[in-house]
Each structure stands twice: as structure tokens, then as C-alpha cells.
Amino acid sequence: MLKLPSLPASSIAAKLVLGYGLLGTASIVLVSAVFYTGTVGVLDRDIDGKIVAQSDRLIEHAGRRHRGVLLAEVRRQLDDGIDSDREIFQLLDAAGAPVAGNLGTWPAVDAVAAADADTPPLVSAVVTRNGRPTTARLYLRPLDGGGVLIVGRDLSEQEEVRDVIWRALLAGAGVSLLLTVAGALLFRRTIESRLGAIRRTAAQIETGDLSPRVPVSGNDEFALLNRDINRMLDRIELLMEGVRHVSNAIAHDLRTPLSRVRSKLDDALRHQATVPGLSGAAHAAIDDIDDLIRLFERLLQIAEAESGMRARLFERLDLGHVAADIGEMYEASAEDSGVTLTVDAPEHLYVDGDRNLLASAVASLLDNAIKYAGQGAAIRVRAGLYHGQASIAVHDNGPGIPETERGKVTQRFYRLDDSRHMPGNGLGLAIVSATAMSHGGSLVLEDGAPGLVARILLPVAL
């Protein structure tokens, strides 16, 4: 079994995996930042708002009254028991000495006097409260006449909440990152598996075996690609089989006429070394060589039709006109052969194609029908729609073709045993089939009961 190396880091799969991983990581960071801002940030803003509002109420309550009113209000706030484990109040006199409050230490207030009185600072600092250090959010507000009112909140609970959120974010980010990595690896393995099937098939075909096909599963983009590749391989295998068949047929069928030409020339040189004898042998050899040239021209015609080289010459044409013209052209030949020929070709049956190729294909079918149906036969050419496709059918009441042979007579150089004594080289139906396929259609041979129906099916022009 062929073993293919894994995809290198420079492969498109590796780049897609890297891009997917980076995108996943960036998404995790962005979501975490938004979540953190939407939780911790909201809590911080809420605390700041409460601190400022509480400070404003104290100052508003004291108003322009004696400093003792503010002092009494600060003490009342400390003693009311409401949220006392978190609230911070500290009143300092003009010298910075404590007057009342629940702080053991507080930030230096040297810069308070230099601060804008309209925008007193909100700071986070480590203070001593109830004999233990703690982180607090403080609003340092200078007072008229000197002194500072400090209002704040103990942030120990917020720090715990912050720690919980951080741990949750880190855990979530870790799990998400692991899932991202696992997903990226799974994605790469899937890509490698799907591409590996194509590469293994290509490697088998490279060895000369055209039979392997890419496995098709599902209906995704890879499945569509694999179907396209398989259709291409089917076509290549068909063409290669045709080439091999043609090579074998040429080797066998052309040896006889070439040997006959050589034999006639050799016999003329040996036994008829006269001008009339040599002239007759030369003319006979020229006739045989002309037959070979026509044979090669028909082979080239098949190759040209199968290659699709003339597809660029396709034009919109009325298939009924093509059938009528060819039928009219063969009326004299049919009459000379004692064959009755009728043509039923309605107008406005449009297809896209090469007029010359299609006319030649219909002519080949008529030529075969006249040749093999026999004297006294009736041949009918009919154009029309057949199961949704444009059709030109040539129906004769001759001996027909056995059902077991119908799939073989479109092969190059294949001839029925009963027709080997008649002139021909077995390329007529092969040319018709190749022409139909080059137009996206097909040649169908049916039992005419009696006789044969040879039908060219083509897509109707839209």
C-alpha cells in the first residue's frame, strides 16, 4: 500500500490550522476582555459612584454649619451598623491630624491641597483598618476652612470577586484554548485525510493503473471535487482505452492493405516489368493508398471530435434544417440503391453545435442505413424532441444489429461478421458517437422491430 508523507508546515492545511488557532485565541482574548470590562469595570464604576454620592450627602448635610455637625454625621455613619464592615470614613483637621474615623493609616494628603477643588482625587490605596491592612477605594475631599474628608470602601470583597472572575476567565480561556487546539488538529487531520485520498489515487494512477477512483462521501466541497476528479478520470480512461484500441486496430487492420500494396508492386516488378503493367500496378497502389489516407482522415475526425477542439465554433442552429438538407442530398443515392427515403424534419428545433460535424454524423447514419438495409428497404429520417432532448433518428427496416453487438459497433474498427465482406472500415458509428459526445449528447442504438433506429440525442438550446 502506498504511504504518503504528512502535509508539511508550509501546506495550505497547516496555514489554515494556524490561522484558525490564531483566530480562536484572539476571539478568546477579546471575549475575556469584554467580559472582564463588563463585570469588574461595572463594579468599580458602581463603587466610585456610591463613594462620591455618599461624600456629597455628608457635605450637603453639614452645609455651612459648624464643623461639629460634619463630625457628628461621620460618627453617626460609623455607628449606624449599615454596611459598616465595608464603609470607610475619616475626618482630618487642617494639620492632617485625625478627628474621627475608622482608619489607622491613610494615603498622604500633601497633594490634596494642590489638586483641583472641583475634581478631588479618587485613589486606590492600601490602608490599615481594624488593625489589618486592606485595599480600599478612597475619595479625598478637601473641606472649606481646611481639613480633608475621606470617604471610601473596603475592596477586600471586590478583590475576592475579581480573583474569582480572573480564575474563571483563565479556566475558561484554558479550556477554550485546548478546544481550539483540538479543533485545529482535528481540522488538519480531516484535511489531510481528504487530500490524502486524492493523492493516493493520483499515485496509483501514476503507476499506470487508471482504474482507481477517489472515494466520495457526503455532499461537501471535497465530495464535489472528488466527483469532478472521478469524471475526469473516467474520461481519461475512456480516451486511453480508445488510444490502445486504435493502436491495436491499426496494427492489425492496416497491415493487410499495406501488405497488399507491397505485394502488388513487388509482383509488378517481378512479372509485369512493362510500362502498361507497371502503370496499372501504380494506379492500383495509389487507389489503395488513397483508401488509407481516407482512413486516417476519419481517425483524425474522431480525435478532433473527442478532443472538443471545435467547441469554440459552436453556433445556434436548427437541427430540423440539418436533417432536411442531408435527406435531400441522399435522395438520389437512395433511389439508385432501390431504397425508399422519407424525411420528417420540423423547424425550430434549436441546438448549439457545429453544423458540419452534425451534418457529417447524420450523413454517416444514412450511408450505413442505405448500405446495410438492402434493396427495397424503407428508411425514415425524423427530427424532433425525445424525452426532453433534441433528436435526429434514422430508422430502417433492414436486418438491424443484434442487441449483444450494439455496445460494440461504436468502437473503432469493429465490424459485424455479416458485414466484413462489404466495403468499409468500421469507423462510421465511432465518428457519429464521438460527434454526439462532443456536443454533450450521445448516440443511442435501438431495436426498430424490424430494423435499427440510430438516434443522435443532443441538449436543446436554451
Side-chain angles (χ1 to χ4, degrees):
M1 181 177 179
L2 293 173
K3 184 178 181 181
L4 298 174
S6 61
L7 296 177
S10 60
S11 69
I12 186 64
K15 292 177 181 177
L16 288 174
V17 167
L18 180 60
Y20 174 73
L22 291 176
L23 180 61
T25 303
S27 301
I28 293 170
V29 172
L30 179 61
V31 170
S32 299
V34 171
F35 180 77
Y36 183 82
T37 303
T39 53
V40 175
V42 170
L43 290 175
D44 290 343
R45 288 191 296 272
D46 182 62
I47 290 173
D48 287 351
K50 289 181 178 179
I51 292 174
V52 173
Q54 199 166 32
S55 176
D56 290 341
R57 285 196 299 270
L58 286 173
I59 297 298
E60 184 180 354
H61 180 76
R64 293 184 177 276
R65 290 176 284 181
H66 192 271
R67 182 67 61 87
V69 176
L70 181 59
L71 175 61
E73 183 62 22
V74 169
R75 288 174 176 171
R76 190 187 67 79
Q77 292 285 345
L78 292 172
D79 296 336
D80 64 4
I82 300 176
D83 212 10
S84 59
D85 60 334
R86 297 176 59 195
E87 292 181 340
I88 293 175
F89 297 97
Q90 187 71 38
L91 185 60
L92 306 177
D93 60 17
V99 176
N102 57 356
L103 290 180
T105 60
W106 51 85
V109 294
D110 298 344
V112 173
D116 187 349
D118 294 332
T119 57
L122 275 163
V123 298
S124 295
V126 178
V127 299
T128 301
R129 181 170 177 268
N130 297 328
R132 62 180 181 84
T134 184
T135 302
R137 185 70 170 168
L138 304 175
Y139 185 20
L140 284 71
R141 185 162 190 166
L143 300 173
D144 295 339
V148 176
L149 174 63
I150 301 175
V151 179
R153 284 292 180 98
D154 188 330
L155 297 181
S156 57
E157 290 186 4
Q158 278 70 22
E159 290 296 325
E160 292 177 0
V161 171
R162 193 189 305 267
D163 290 341
V164 170
I165 292 175
W166 267 112
R167 286 195 294 269
L169 287 176
L170 290 175
V175 172
S176 300
L177 188 60
L178 288 177
L179 291 177
T180 300
V181 172
L185 293 176
L186 179 61
F187 176 73
R188 176 171 180 172
R189 177 171 295 182
T190 302
I191 292 292
E192 289 183 344
S193 175
R194 303 299 289 271
L195 293 180
I198 298 175
R199 296 176 68 203
R200 283 190 293 272
T201 303
Q204 289 176 311
I205 292 174
E206 187 179 2
T207 62
D209 183 7
L210 297 179
S211 61
R213 294 294 180 267
V214 183
V216 178
S217 60
N219 197 34
D220 56 12
E221 288 78 1
F222 276 105
L224 297 176
L225 174 63
N226 292 347
R227 290 191 185 99
D228 292 339
I229 292 175
N230 287 341
R231 281 196 296 270
M232 177 189 69
L233 293 175
D234 291 339
R235 181 64 174 161
I236 291 174
E237 185 177 22
L238 178 63
L239 293 176
M240 292 302 296
E241 285 295 328
V243 170
R244 281 195 285 265
H245 180 72
V246 168
S247 300
N248 294 334
I250 289 176
H252 289 84
D253 290 23
L254 297 189
R255 169 179 281 183
T256 299
L258 288 174
S259 298
R260 184 167 61 247
V261 171
R262 184 187 185 286
S263 176
K264 287 180 180 180
L265 292 175
D266 183 69
D267 184 68
L269 288 175
R270 289 177 179 273
H271 304 101
Q272 302 179 27
T274 63
V275 173
L278 293 176
S279 177
H283 282 92
I286 290 173
D287 291 339
D288 289 340
I289 292 174
D290 285 341
D291 289 339
L292 291 175
I293 291 174
R294 283 191 289 271
L295 175 62
F296 279 110
E297 287 176 348
R298 294 175 74 83
L299 288 173
L300 290 175
Q301 187 178 356
I302 294 175
E304 185 178 11
E306 289 181 338
S307 67
M309 292 173 57
R310 300 184 63 168
R312 63 183 181 274
L313 302 178
F314 283 6
E315 59 182 352
R316 187 64 52 85
L317 53 90
D318 191 334
L319 203 60
H321 287 171
V322 175
D325 292 343
I326 299 301
E328 182 180 355
M329 185 176 68
Y330 270 82
E331 283 181 356
S333 176
E335 185 177 351
D336 292 342
S337 300
V339 173
T340 303
L341 176 62
T342 58
V343 179
D344 180 12
E347 296 182 349
H348 310 302
L349 180 62
Y350 294 105
V351 298
D352 292 325
D354 186 311
R355 184 180 185 86
N356 293 330
L357 284 179
L358 292 176
S360 176
V362 177
S364 293
L365 294 181
L366 266 176
D367 188 60
N368 279 352
I370 294 173
K371 183 189 301 183
Y372 297 112
Q375 190 172 9
I379 299 175
R380 182 185 181 191
V381 179
R382 186 178 185 278
L385 289 175
Y386 184 79
H387 297 309
Q389 291 185 291
S391 164
I392 291 184
V394 177
H395 184 187
D396 66 71
N397 60 352
I401 299 176
E403 184 177 359
T404 56
E405 300 287 338
R406 290 176 199 157
K408 302 176 183 179
V409 292
T410 56
Q411 299 175 5
R412 299 173 181 88
F413 298 108
Y414 187 87
R415 304 187 69 188
L416 298 177
D417 293 336
D418 295 340
S419 63
R420 290 189 178 275
H421 65 282
M422 302 179 69
N425 45 41
L427 292 176
L429 291 179
I431 292 176
V432 177
S433 178
T435 300
M437 291 181 63
S438 70
H439 285 74
S442 60
L443 171 64
V444 179
L445 302 179
E446 303 170 348
D447 184 8
L452 177 72
V453 179
R455 191 187 307 276
I456 299 176
L457 296 176
L458 303 173
V460 178
L462 301 178

